[in-house]
Amino acid sequence: MEIVPYLTNDSNVIVFLLLLLRFSGVFAFFPFFDNQMISPSIRGAMIFFMAVLFYPLAHYELGQLSVIDLMIAGLFELMMGFLAGLMLQIVFAMISFSGELMSFSMGLTMASAYDPISGSQRPIVGQLLSMLALLVALSLDFHHIVLQLIAHSLDSVPLGGFVSIGSVEYYIEALGNFFVVGFSMAFPILAIILFSDIIFGMIMKTHPQFNLLAIGFPVKIAIAFVVLIIILPSIYVHFRREIESALFAIGEMF
């Protein structure tokens, strides 16, 4: 019977609500956790379960807070998940950007399909690279590292007291490298497509009867896919380095 007053204590309820909002920011903005294939009801149940599981680690005495203070504290918790998730979203966006460049150069821009992960229409090559990137992230125990960072944040960042200072440098560097890294991933495909266009142009000059649309177009796509298979390991070496630096920056922010 003594547990009922403990659970209904105002301070404990506020701690649980703020912890619930911290996990809500993670499940709403972090890659893999924000998967559109997961229904909102299941995601809400996961957020509640994680808040209950991590509640013993949130040993705070917040005391009495006004409604305005509680709203501001809840906003800080959501902003914490948003800013941390944005770091990882930038890394995954690099892969998507390189995939779109590859699709454009291969002439597969119109070959787009519904992406169940992002919930939008995307080129097929970009979807393939994004799903492989997600598998690489999971192989690095990305989802477990995120939960460990949240557990660490409960000791280093008080609930409702998040202030982001050290993450600005990472955002500037990541946004500055966004196009450079994305273009460098797609550069071998762009180069081989440009080289094949030059060769086909020379063939058209010497043999005007050569049917470029019937022969050249599928040949370019086949060559590009062969090169893509060859360069996939180097692409995901870049991706792994970027995601490790993003996780390190999140650890510094927490």
Side-chain angles (χ1 to χ4, degrees), residues 128-143:
L128 174 65
L129 293 179
S130 296
M131 283 191 273
L132 290 176
L134 190 58
L135 290 176
V136 171
L138 292 177
S139 70
L140 296 173
D141 275 343
F142 154 79
H143 50 307

Side-chain angles (χ1 to χ4, degrees), residues 198-220:
I198 294 173
I199 293 176
F200 286 136
M202 296 171 64
I203 294 175
M204 284 289 293
K205 279 292 185 180
T206 55
H207 299 281
Q209 69 275 15
F210 178 73
N211 194 335
L212 181 62
L213 293 178
I215 300 175
F217 191 68
V219 169
K220 283 200 304 182

Side-chain angles (χ1 to χ4, degrees), residues 218-238:
V219 169
K220 283 200 304 182
I221 294 177
I223 294 174
F225 272 115
V226 171
V227 175
L228 178 60
I229 293 172
I230 295 173
I231 67 172
L232 268 179
S234 63
I235 289 177
Y236 288 104
V237 166
H238 282 286

Side-chain angles (χ1 to χ4, degrees), residues 22 25-31 33 76-92 142 145-146 149-150 153 157 162 164 167-168 170-171 242-243 245-254:
R22 180 166 294 191
V26 170
F27 279 80
F29 302 113
F30 274 60
F33 294 106
F76 283 165
E77 292 299 321
L78 292 175
M79 186 172 293
M80 179 180 181
F82 171 74
L83 292 177
L86 183 60
M87 294 182 180
L88 296 173
Q89 293 287 0
I90 291 174
V91 178
F92 280 87
F142 154 79
I145 294 175
V146 170
L149 288 174
I150 295 175
S153 71
V157 183
F162 170 70
S164 177
S167 59
V168 177
Y170 174 81
Y171 286 121
E242 292 296 329
I243 200 170
S245 63
L247 289 173
F248 179 78
I250 292 174
E252 290 291 322
M253 186 174 67
F254 285 177

Side-chain angles (χ1 to χ4, degrees), residues 16 20 23 42-54:
F16 181 77
L20 198 70
F23 276 101
I42 296 177
R43 198 178 306 172
M46 292 172 64
I47 292 171
F48 181 79
F49 174 75
M50 288 296 174
V52 172
L53 187 65
F54 281 74

Side-chain angles (χ1 to χ4, degrees), residues 57-70:
L57 300 177
H59 42 79
Y60 298 110
E61 289 294 336
L62 297 179
Q64 296 293 329
L65 295 178
S66 64
V67 176
I68 301 298
D69 293 336
L70 186 59

Side-chain angles (χ1 to χ4, degrees), residues 3-16:
I3 195 172
V4 175
Y6 174 79
L7 293 176
T8 56
N9 182 274
D10 290 344
S11 178
N12 295 330
V13 171
I14 291 174
V15 168
F16 181 77

